[in-house]
Amino acid sequence: MTTPNIKLAAALALPLFLTGCVSAVDYSAANAGFSTVSGKTLAAAGKDTVWIQNRHDAEAAKSRVRQLMTKKTIDADTAVQVALINNKGLQAAYADLGDAAANAWQSTMLVNPKVSLGLTGIGTPGLVAFKAVEGVIAANILALATRKSNIEIADAALRKAELAAAMQTLQLAADTRRAWITAVASWETVAQLNQAQATADAASELAKKLGEAGSMTKGGQAREHVFYAELAGQTAKARLEARLAKEELSRLMGLWGADLDFQVPNRLPQLPRGLINRDMIEAEALQRRVDLQMAKLDLEATAKSLKLTEATRYVTDLEILSGFETERELEDGEKHKQTTGNVELEFVIPIFDSGQARMRKSELAYMRAANLLAEKAVNVRSEARSAYQAYRSNYDIARHYRNSVVPLRTKIEEESLLTYNGMISNTFELLADSREKVNSILLAVNAKRDFWLSEANLAPAIYGGGVGAAGGEIEVATAAAGGAGH
């Protein structure tokens, strides 16, 4: 015969027995999921990133930024590395990753049972007395039965969060590199405009003296004066845009206060001798693009959700109630005590809602994810082709200006100087040729800038993180001033 204690133990153990055994990954680590982010960042950008979660991490990051900023004139690699360490918006993205890890961790935990206790009593002094203690433990069977599927869905969500954090990291790296290129090209442009302004100033002053001597008409004087005035305005605007370009770079690097006392070079690097061969860029992009991997995870998670909805479409709430009841009686001066266990099953009958609407929503969500994945695959291939075409074409254009246009303008200027020294041509013809050479140099600077921007867009096209417009479609701030750096 089963004793009351054994019955009570069986009643209490029943909900735990129904949970089954589900092996789960440990998501409780403080940096859960971050290894994926750091690995993809290192592969795509060649730089490392950090997740700052406490004061020690913050101090270490601050110290490293100071070391990187030791040189006042920073290159593109330094700017990118500082941004990946110091940008606070990126740390906010990593907090979202931690939130997804916490959700995955939560999904591995057993559902807490609900416990209720009650005490009842009936009787009159001197007569038969009765008292009873009742206890009920309720467990949601549906949540327990679908626990493994919920863990898998939460794990897919975590993997998607990892890729989203990696995407934002690569986006920041690409934006910072492009901002550095823009700022340097802007200051190089300003340096060329300063040279042109010096030439225009000399022409304007000469025109004034010739006018005073009666050797030049007022119309001729006005043409030289207005050219100088327009160039002065253009130079001032370029200088402003260069400063704004540097501010954009400072924001991406997360710098403020004394850290803003840095400079960028006055000139972009020279064109490379050859190009990187990326004939298989489409295949590389399809294999490595982070946003395409995110779309695949979306489809995978939606498929699992669809299966779960299909499995539970008829039952939305199913609970098992296991409990015990202890009765105590006092009769003729003798006490009697008895404990019994009981089990109840509580569920909703799907008379009105058969789950068809939920199934329809799940099916549409799956079709949406499938179509978005197909669209993403098409776009990824196109973006990869476009990035490589822009890279090759901008290199040819920049090399054309460097090897053909600027040398020809230099030759024209040299011949003009010879004819001027031989008193064959006048001063204004010489100055006009000098101005045309400056314009060609500005076009060469812009072409070189477009090449380096298109080169910076190759990695985002392959790994993800945003592909900027290519070539002449990019509106770059032309910017300011000569000197050692800015």
Side-chain angles (χ1 to χ4, degrees), residues 245-275:
K246 185 183 174 184
E247 286 295 339
E248 171 66 16
L249 179 60
S250 300
R251 288 195 295 271
L252 292 170
M253 294 170 64
L255 301 178
W256 64 288
D259 294 334
L260 294 175
D261 186 23
F262 73 93
Q263 298 173 343
V264 295
N266 284 330
R267 186 180 298 274
L268 285 171
Q270 294 300 321
L271 296 176
R273 293 185 177 182
L275 293 177

Side-chain angles (χ1 to χ4, degrees), residues 134 174 227 248 341 405 459 466:
E134 294 182 353
F227 175 76
E248 171 66 16
V405 177

Side-chain angles (χ1 to χ4, degrees), residues 125-432:
L127 300 177
V128 177
F130 167 79
K131 287 187 177 180
V133 179
E134 294 182 353
V136 176
I137 300 177
N140 192 320
I141 298 179
L142 189 62
L144 300 175
T146 60
R147 178 169 172 261
K148 183 177 179 180
S149 297
N150 288 329
I151 291 175
E152 292 175 349
I153 293 173
D155 181 75
L158 174 59
R159 286 184 286 152
K160 183 180 176 183
E162 292 173 355
L163 295 176
M167 175 74 76
Q168 290 187 255
T169 306
L170 297 179
Q171 178 76 58
L172 176 63
D175 288 346
T176 304
R177 188 172 294 276
R178 285 191 287 257
W180 183 90
I181 293 170
T182 299
V184 174
S186 298
W187 290 110
E188 186 173 356
T189 298
V190 170
Q192 297 299 330
L193 287 174
N194 285 338
Q195 294 181 13
Q197 192 174 9
T199 302
D201 185 23
S204 179
E205 186 64 24
L206 179 59
K208 179 181 178 182
K209 292 181 179 179
L210 291 176
E212 292 173 351
S215 301
M216 191 174 190
T217 63
K218 291 184 177 180
Q221 296 177 58
R223 276 190 291 272
E224 296 301 326
H225 293 331
V226 74
F227 175 76
Y228 172 75
E230 289 175 346
L231 195 58
Q234 185 180 354
T235 304
K237 183 179 180 181
R239 187 174 290 108
L240 170 62
E241 292 178 340
R243 290 170 180 164
L244 295 178
K246 185 183 174 184
E247 286 295 339
E248 171 66 16
L249 179 60
S250 300
R251 288 195 295 271
L252 292 170
M253 294 170 64
L255 301 178
W256 64 288
D259 294 334
L260 294 175
D261 186 23
F262 73 93
Q263 298 173 343
V264 295
N266 284 330
R267 186 180 298 274
L268 285 171
Q270 294 300 321
L271 296 176
R273 293 185 177 182
L275 293 177
I276 303 172
N277 187 359
R278 292 290 189 182
D279 292 337
M280 302 297 292
I281 192 170
E282 287 186 57
E284 288 185 77
L286 288 175
Q287 181 182 3
R288 300 179 180 178
R289 276 286 287 262
V290 175
D291 50 349
L292 187 61
Q293 295 173 25
M294 290 175 64
K296 290 178 181 178
L297 276 179
D298 265 336
L299 184 62
E300 177 185 333
T302 306
K304 291 179 179 179
S305 180
L306 175 60
K307 291 179 180 179
L308 184 60
T309 302
E310 185 176 5
T312 61
R313 60 177 298 188
Y314 295 112
V315 181
T316 58
D317 191 8
L318 181 64
E319 285 192 348
I320 186 169
L321 290 83
S322 58
F324 66 92
E325 180 178 353
T326 300
E327 296 182 355
R328 187 177 60 185
E329 297 181 356
L330 180 61
E331 184 176 359
D332 298 331
E334 295 184 5
K335 294 181 179 180
H336 301 277
K337 180 180 179 182
Q338 183 180 7
T339 301
T340 57
N342 58 76
V343 177
E344 296 180 12
L345 187 64
E346 184 178 289
F347 58 91
V348 175
I349 301 176
I351 297 177
F352 305 107
D353 181 6
S354 61
Q356 292 181 345
R358 289 187 293 116
M359 277 296 301
R360 177 60 174 164
K361 289 180 65 175
S362 296
E363 291 169 354
L364 291 174
Y366 179 82
M367 291 304 301
R368 176 181 179 274
N371 283 299
L372 287 177
L373 175 59
E375 180 193 32
K376 178 60 68 175
V378 172
N379 292 345
V380 162
R381 294 171 67 96
S382 176
E383 289 170 6
R385 292 193 303 270
S386 297
Y388 190 50
Q389 290 171 7
Y391 172 69
R392 293 186 59 89
S393 297
N394 282 320
Y395 178 76
D396 293 338
I397 294 170
R399 193 171 60 171
H400 172 72
Y401 275 100
R402 183 194 65 183
N403 297 342
S404 299
V405 177
V406 173
L408 286 173
R409 282 296 180 188
T410 301
K411 183 65 175 177
I412 292 172
E413 184 185 42
E414 292 172 351
E415 292 297 324
S416 180
L417 181 59
L418 291 175
T419 58
Y420 173 76
N421 291 334
M423 303 183 68
I424 299 175
S425 61
N426 59 39
T427 304
F428 294 106
E429 290 176 342
L430 175 62
L431 294 175

Side-chain angles (χ1 to χ4, degrees), residues 41 81 92 156 165-166 187 194 269 296 362 391 445 452 458 473:
T41 303
Q81 185 61 82
W187 290 110
N194 285 338
K296 290 178 181 178
S362 296
Y391 172 69
V445 170
W452 285 115
L458 281 180
E473 298 175 356

